[in-house]
Amino acid sequence: MPEPVEVRLPDDVRLHVEATGPAGAEVTAVLLHGWTLDGRSWHRQLAALRTAFGSVRVVTYDARGHGRSSCMTLPTATLAQLGDDLAAVLDAVVPAGRVVLVGHSMGGMTIMEYAHRHPEHFARRVAGLVFVSTTAEGHTHTVYGLSPRIARVIRLAETTGAGVLARCGSWRPPQALLRALRPSIRWMLFGDRCDPADIRLVTSAVARASLRSIGGFRVSIGVQHRLATLAALAHLPAAALVGDRDRLTPPPCAESIAAALPATELTVCPGAGHMLMMERPDEVNAALSAVLRRVLDATPTR
């Protein structure tokens, strides 16, 4: 069973963290969820890792303002702060050993921000990377699967709405509204096929996110550019995965990550959308397993 841990950050935000596996593991996998989601989005990867890698410790946590973590002030709803939070979580929960970082969407961007803001800390700790449905170029390639003209209109409406939501504090989305928006959530986040249980899980996660986090993170997500940061990490075992029906981080996002990290194993999943760890768990599990094996093979035993 997961071991719950609370990490209190310097600004008094409390992060809900869960860990499984041996506390003294030589290698720990840390899985970071996407915007408006929470650590439960990795449940299929957690089950696979427990079966295949009993010697690996696995950590998930809910980002500030998400899931069971507490809300925060609006100025700290930034990717830069999430990068700092990741460094703090590693210090508190994974004080020793090598780390494989696995990030979906905003979680992948958090990893890049951590590498940018804490390069020496990153170099000491991180041994492998897995990027799932994420980008290093903000909203450069995001056109929602529509024409550029319509995409510009949607982006304007989205950013305007985000600004309003960001000022709504710790309130959470009403359940009735989320039920009404479920078809839109399905269209935006999933590809050709979708398990109804996955839609329910995603809707449940959005219901736990504060309106401040739903709106507040939008600005820094849209403007982040970290390809130069990635280029300095080319020596690490890495994988990048994307669905060819992803409306938020389409294939050019993963392709630019793979170009910055030439040794990266790039996987494009036909018919899949943004929620690859749910839609294509076998492909995500295989990519994560391959990186973990490379890290384990390179990790000296005591």
Side-chain angles (χ1 to χ4, degrees), residues 177-196:
L177 175 61
L178 289 176
R179 284 194 294 271
L181 290 176
R182 192 169 290 176
S184 299
I185 293 172
R186 190 256 181 267
W187 175 82
M188 182 67 76
L189 295 183
F190 291 87
D192 295 344
R193 301 192 307 274
C194 175
D195 186 330

Side-chain angles (χ1 to χ4, degrees), residues 14-15 17 44 65 68 81 84 91 93 132 148 156-157 214 217 225 234 236 239 251 270 273 285 302:
R14 300 179 306 281
L15 298 184
V17 183
R44 291 190 176 100
R68 284 164 284 184
Q81 182 62 58
D84 295 348
D91 286 343
V93 182
V132 181
L156 177 61
I214 293 174
F217 285 106
H225 287 270
L236 294 175
N285 294 346
R302 291 178 179 173

Side-chain angles (χ1 to χ4, degrees), residues 8-270:
R8 186 178 290 270
L9 300 171
D11 61 353
D12 285 335
V13 169
R14 300 179 306 281
L15 298 184
H16 177 83
V17 183
E18 293 191 352
T20 59
E26 296 285 348
V27 175
T28 299
V30 180
L31 283 57
L32 295 95
H33 66 77
W35 184 30
T36 77
L37 301 175
D38 59 38
R40 295 174 298 161
S41 60
W42 296 106
H43 67 96
R44 291 190 176 100
Q45 286 64 52
L46 294 173
L49 288 171
R50 281 195 293 267
T51 300
F53 293 95
S55 65
V56 171
R57 189 163 175 80
V58 183
V59 172
T60 62
Y61 68 93
D62 298 343
R64 57 175 55 220
H66 294 70
R68 284 164 284 184
S69 294
S70 65
C71 198
M72 65 287 163
T73 61
L74 182 55
T76 68
T78 66
L79 289 174
Q81 182 62 58
L82 294 184
D84 295 348
D85 292 352
L86 174 53
V89 169
L90 293 179
D91 286 343
V93 182
V94 194
R98 304 296 280 161
V99 175
V100 172
L101 296 176
V102 187
H104 170 245
S105 195
M106 184 183 77
M109 302 176 86
T110 298
I111 294 169
M112 299 174 207
E113 203 64 22
Y114 163 51
H116 176 74
R117 293 174 62 81
H118 304 273
E120 294 181 358
H121 193 284
F122 186 100
R124 287 196 308 270
R125 303 306 314 280
V126 179
L129 300 166
V130 181
F131 294 113
V132 181
S133 306
T134 191
T135 181
E137 300 176 273
H139 61 215
T140 300
H141 300 293
T142 304
V143 294
Y144 313 101
L146 304 169
S147 72
R149 178 178 295 180
I150 295 175
R152 283 194 294 270
V153 174
I154 291 178
R155 182 173 296 135
L156 177 61
E158 179 194 355
T159 52
T160 301
V164 174
L165 293 177
R167 294 190 290 273
C168 291
S170 59
W171 292 356
R172 296 173 187 250
Q175 292 281 357
L177 175 61
L178 289 176
R179 284 194 294 271
L181 290 176
R182 192 169 290 176
S184 299
I185 293 172
R186 190 256 181 267
W187 175 82
M188 182 67 76
L189 295 183
F190 291 87
D192 295 344
R193 301 192 307 274
C194 175
D195 186 330
D198 292 337
I199 284 285
R200 290 193 294 271
L201 191 153
V202 167
T203 305
S204 169
V206 176
R208 292 181 171 191
S210 68
L211 295 180
R212 178 176 293 158
S213 63
I214 293 174
F217 285 106
R218 179 62 183 83
V219 173
S220 63
I221 287 173
V223 301
Q224 187 192 44
H225 287 270
R226 290 289 176 250
L227 287 177
T229 298
L230 286 180
L233 311 178
H235 60 287
L236 294 175
L241 302 97
V242 66
D244 70 358
R245 299 289 189 272
D246 192 329
R247 294 182 172 89
L248 296 179
T249 57
C253 297
E255 291 162 3
S256 66
I257 290 172
L261 298 170
T264 295
E265 184 72 26
L266 174 61
T267 302
V268 180
C269 300

